[in-house]
Amino acid sequence: MTLAGRIAWDDTILPFQLDRADVRGRVARLDSVLDTILSQHSYPAPVAALVAEATLITALIGQTIRPGWRLSLQLRGDGPIRLVATDYFGPPSEGEPARMRAYAGFDAEALAAEAGAASPYALLGSGLFGMLIDQGPGTQPYQGITPLAGRSLADCAETYFAQSEQIPTRFALAMGEATVPGEPSRWRAGGVMLQHMPAASPHAKQEATGFDGLLAPEDMLDGAEAENWNRAVTLLGTVEETELIGPHVGPDQLLLRLFHEESPRVYNSQPVRFGCTCGPEKVVQSLSIYTPEELGTMTTPEGKITADCQFCGAHYEFVPDELGIRTEDPQA
């Protein structure tokens, strides 16, 4: 692929459908958006890898939401990595880029003590996988929660869709720091997501056979549906990491290589950019839940109240008057 072609496919999500197998999917490539997210923080390598994986999964899932909606993914565990949170903001209107942001919370000492952990995902320990879809003002957000399960975040997300949505789902993911001669290293990720088209009344066809007694994608299919799904998943299993992460194979070329016998139908790609929704007004709104006495305890010796955005690192400072707080005159 030429340099111009590589750039054209960076930070995009390409939706497609396999008509023969009745399967839909997305191919995602994240480059500068992921590098920007991770450059906001000096994460240890396992934390950065888990944030990268969560961001990629969020991009693959989020492409389906409507303009103006928000999809949030949260991982909460009792291990050294306590929290990973991602947001995908649907484009304001058709043709505009979607926006993404992400961050992680972790215990540095506990993380150092678990340096030999099998995988970044294992550092979450036990906990919950949650997904929220916010359709905007005047609506009730939809939220689904399942236990952390499996050996990877991809396993966990597949279990979530099987258990919570009864939709068979499969991911193939790759991410890491890439180096181009003469340029600094930067994070890059690529992946493919397959989903069986939802049934009118989805239900499990057999007893749960997945991780920790939860449903697996195969538990909801039988007969021709199961045969078609297994064929698509087998083809996906032949993908190589270099094909997922590029830059020599474009997403459209990848689909033809993997699924040319499945009659792939490709739709318009969705560009994605880094974007944070924080701002002075939202910070003031978030501080409004505190009483004047509580805000008084947050005031610095210089007489200011400060706040930092966990996602983008933006720093905000306010004087009490800006928050409607009346301070006592020390001479009174």
Side-chain angles (χ1 to χ4, degrees), residues 231-253:
R231 186 175 65 252
V233 167
T234 299
L235 291 172
L236 179 61
T238 68
V239 72
E240 298 179 2
E241 184 172 308
T242 53
E243 293 178 303
L244 290 173
I245 212 165
H248 302 294
V249 180
D252 52 349
Q253 296 171 305

Side-chain angles (χ1 to χ4, degrees), residues 94-127:
E94 295 292 341
E96 295 188 74
R99 302 283 175 176
M100 293 195 70
R101 63 181 188 175
Y103 82 95
F106 61 96
D107 184 323
E109 291 186 3
L111 190 66
E114 296 288 342
S119 69
Y121 177 72
L123 294 168
L124 283 166
S126 300

Side-chain angles (χ1 to χ4, degrees), residues 29-216:
R29 292 275 177 83
L30 302 181
D31 186 81
S32 62
V33 63
L34 180 59
D35 199 61
T36 301
I37 285 172
L38 293 175
S39 66
Q40 307 292 333
H41 309 272
S42 297
Y43 290 135
V47 180
L50 193 61
V51 172
E53 187 175 5
T55 301
L56 179 57
I57 289 175
T58 303
L60 287 164
I61 299 171
Q63 187 275 331
T64 60
I65 68 172
R66 296 181 181 179
W69 291 14
R70 173 174 61 94
L71 181 140
S72 299
L73 185 150
Q74 279 201 11
L75 314 171
R76 292 185 177 273
D78 60 4
I81 301 179
R82 304 292 175 80
L83 170 69
V84 177
T86 65
D87 283 327
Y88 181 103
F89 299 94
S93 59
E94 295 292 341
E96 295 188 74
R99 302 283 175 176
M100 293 195 70
R101 63 181 188 175
Y103 82 95
F106 61 96
D107 184 323
E109 291 186 3
L111 190 66
E114 296 288 342
S119 69
Y121 177 72
L123 294 168
L124 283 166
S126 300
L128 299 173
F129 178 105
M131 192 181 304
L132 180 144
I133 298 177
D134 185 353
Q135 302 177 30
T139 63
Q140 184 69 28
Y142 165 80
Q143 185 173 16
I145 299 175
T146 55
L148 293 174
R151 298 176 295 270
S152 68
L153 186 50
D155 286 345
C156 189
E158 291 168 7
T159 300
Y160 169 87
F161 277 105
Q163 186 72 26
S164 182
E165 308 292 337
Q166 284 75 59
I167 300 177
T169 304
R170 184 60 52 90
F171 292 92
L173 310 173
M175 67 285 302
E177 289 187 276
T179 302
V180 176
E183 299 180 12
S185 63
R186 57 188 296 153
W187 276 89
R188 184 171 175 82
V192 180
M193 175 184 182
L194 295 182
Q195 284 192 317
H196 196 278
M197 297 293 284
S201 300
H203 63 279
K205 309 292 184 183
Q206 61 185 49
E207 294 296 324
T209 63
F211 298 105
D212 300 326
L214 301 174
L215 289 171

